[in-house]
Amino acid sequence: MALGNFSVVSGGESNSATEDHAVIAGGKRNSVTQSHSAVSGGKYNRIAGKYSFIGSGQNNLVSAADSSVVGGKGNIMLGSYSMIGGGQGNSGSGTRNTIAGGYYNFVSGSDNLIGGGRYHTISGSSSVIIGGSSNSIEAGRSASFIGAGTNNAVSRSRSGIVSGSSNLVSNTASLIGAGEANRVLSRASMCSAGQNNSISALASFIGAGSSNEIKSLGTGSGAVIVGGSLNIIGSAAGSYGSGSFIGAGNNNTASGNQSVVVGG
């Protein structure tokens, strides 16, 4: 059924194009209710935005202008100038966002990309999640990145997690490379890998190992733990340990400024 001016339904079953310059090429029970939009095929797909497109698949919806769902099942795009490539149960709002594929991913904000995987969320801007499962970049954050892994979270701008599981970056310009349950809570800091490591001091670094900790150093910064386990830089007072270094070993503590423990 083609009811709009210059609208076309060229094949299929029970398809409906009710606005001007709307096109449905084929499929079953597809509908276009805004002008200058098109559905190529599939079934139960619906477009309710101008200048938008659905390629194929089923039960997909585009309800904003200048957006598209290329294929897949149950994908919903509510934002303008945005795209879902495929997959199932993906949804987006905001503007200029892309979900390439995967399952049950959600993106809002603007200028974001989810490559694939499942259960990812981006609510900021200019941010990227490549793959993995259940990774998130929080609202109000920009230019952040998660490469892969599971249950990783970035809650500040210009920060990233390359991979791993249950890692957290909660300050600006900081990075976790990989590992499990590592936390970077301070600005301009990095944990390369390992498990249960924590950084709370500005511009500090943990290379690897397990359960190492760089405490908050007050106005101090630049502490380094290369590896090992259960090593600590900083004191309970929170004002000592600036510029200190632990190379490796277990249960070492550097609680003075510019202190060095090579290993042991």
Side-chain angles (χ1 to χ4, degrees):
M1 179 173 60
L3 302 179
N5 295 322
F6 308 105
S7 63
V8 176
V9 175
S10 59
E13 177 186 345
S14 302
N15 295 308
S16 174
T18 60
E19 290 295 327
D20 298 347
H21 302 280
V23 176
I24 298 176
K28 179 180 179 180
R29 294 188 181 276
N30 299 304
S31 67
V32 178
T33 59
Q34 287 290 342
S35 63
H36 301 90
S37 293
V39 174
S40 293
K43 59 183 180 180
Y44 305 107
N45 297 305
R46 182 162 66 96
I47 294 180
K50 292 183 178 181
Y51 306 104
S52 292
F53 172 78
I54 294 176
S56 63
Q58 66 183 79
N59 298 109
N60 298 305
L61 168 66
V62 177
S63 67
D66 300 285
S67 290
S68 63
V69 173
V70 179
K73 180 180 180 180
N75 297 306
I76 300 173
M77 180 49 70
L78 308 177
S80 58
Y81 304 101
S82 297
M83 183 191 80
I84 296 174
Q88 180 175 341
N90 298 303
S91 60
S93 60
T95 183
R96 298 183 302 276
N97 291 312
T98 299
I99 299 174
Y103 297 87
Y104 304 103
N105 298 304
F106 173 75
V107 61
S108 61
S110 63
D111 303 294
N112 297 304
L113 168 68
I114 295 176
R118 57 187 179 179
Y119 304 115
H120 301 309
T121 301
I122 299 179
S123 303
S125 62
S126 304
S127 294
V128 175
I129 296 175
I130 299 296
S133 174
S134 302
N135 298 308
S136 66
I137 297 175
E138 288 190 7
R141 311 309 171 191
S142 63
S144 291
F145 171 84
I146 296 176
T150 304
N151 293 314
N152 298 303
V154 176
S155 61
R156 288 294 185 269
S157 299
R158 301 184 300 282
S159 292
I161 296 172
V162 178
S163 189
S165 63
S166 302
N167 296 303
L168 170 65
V169 175
S170 65
N171 217 314
T172 305
S174 291
L175 176 70
I176 292 175
E180 180 182 357
N182 296 304
R183 298 185 303 155
V184 176
L185 313 179
S186 53
R187 183 165 55 90
S189 294
M190 176 179 176
C191 178
S192 294
Q195 183 178 18
N196 293 312
N197 297 304
S198 177
I199 301 175
S200 300
L202 173 68
S204 294
F205 173 82
I206 293 177
S210 62
S211 302
N212 297 302
E213 181 181 7
I214 300 176
K215 297 178 177 291
S216 176
L217 306 178
T219 59
S221 63
V224 174
I225 297 175
V226 178
S229 63
L230 299 168
N231 298 305
I232 297 173
I233 292 178
S235 66
S239 59
Y240 298 98
S242 181
S244 292
F245 174 90
I246 296 176
N250 302 320
N251 292 295
N252 297 301
T253 300
S255 57
N257 294 326
Q258 288 81 48
S259 298
V260 175
V261 178
V262 177

